[in-house]
Amino acid sequence: MTVHTGITSATDTTSATPATFSASTTEEKLGWLVQGLLARTPGARHALVLSRDGLKLCSTPELSVDQADHLAAIAAGIQALSHGASLQFGDGTGDVRSAMTEFYGGILFIVEAGEGAHLALVTTEDADTGLVGHNMGQLVEQLDGHLSAPPRRP
């Protein structure tokens, strides 16, 4: 799977036009962005970027590989259910802005982060939901269409 991103690091001398990177390079490029999201969001515990079909693209180091894969599958499932609700009860497009699941001990937030990609964030249960949404929105704006995860082909 390839991911298209135009994000460059401060030491990157290549142009900022979209390029194709392997999944491991994408994880390196996005890692500092999701770490920054955790750092500036009080109560944030874990973050990851995932494809629509549940493939983890990048996660914060506090998540083990198994936890990150599990969270990616959960987030993809919630987004799929939200898509179905939008088709049936929304404007019929199936578009989903965000989903939030509140559970004992935390909250899971999921937002679109580009074509076929989502950003998921787990926080403590007392996190400021407005600030969380704002900070996630800022990160998605930073990505601003540079991140896409096209569907995998069999």
Side-chain angles (χ1 to χ4, degrees), residues 54-120:
L55 180 66
K56 175 197 69 130
L57 303 176
C58 174
S59 65
T60 51
E62 297 81 11
L63 287 170
S64 71
V65 172
D66 287 343
Q67 287 175 317
D69 289 342
H70 192 190
L71 181 56
I74 290 167
I78 290 171
Q79 282 297 90
L81 289 169
S82 299
H83 172 77
S86 175
L87 283 172
Q88 184 67 35
F89 302 108
D91 65 4
T93 64
D95 292 341
V96 177
R97 291 186 198 119
S98 64
M100 182 179 90
T101 303
E102 188 174 4
F103 46 87
Y104 294 108
I107 306 170
L108 170 60
F109 299 85
I110 309 160
V111 298
E112 286 187 325
E115 184 181 335
H118 302 288
L119 171 64

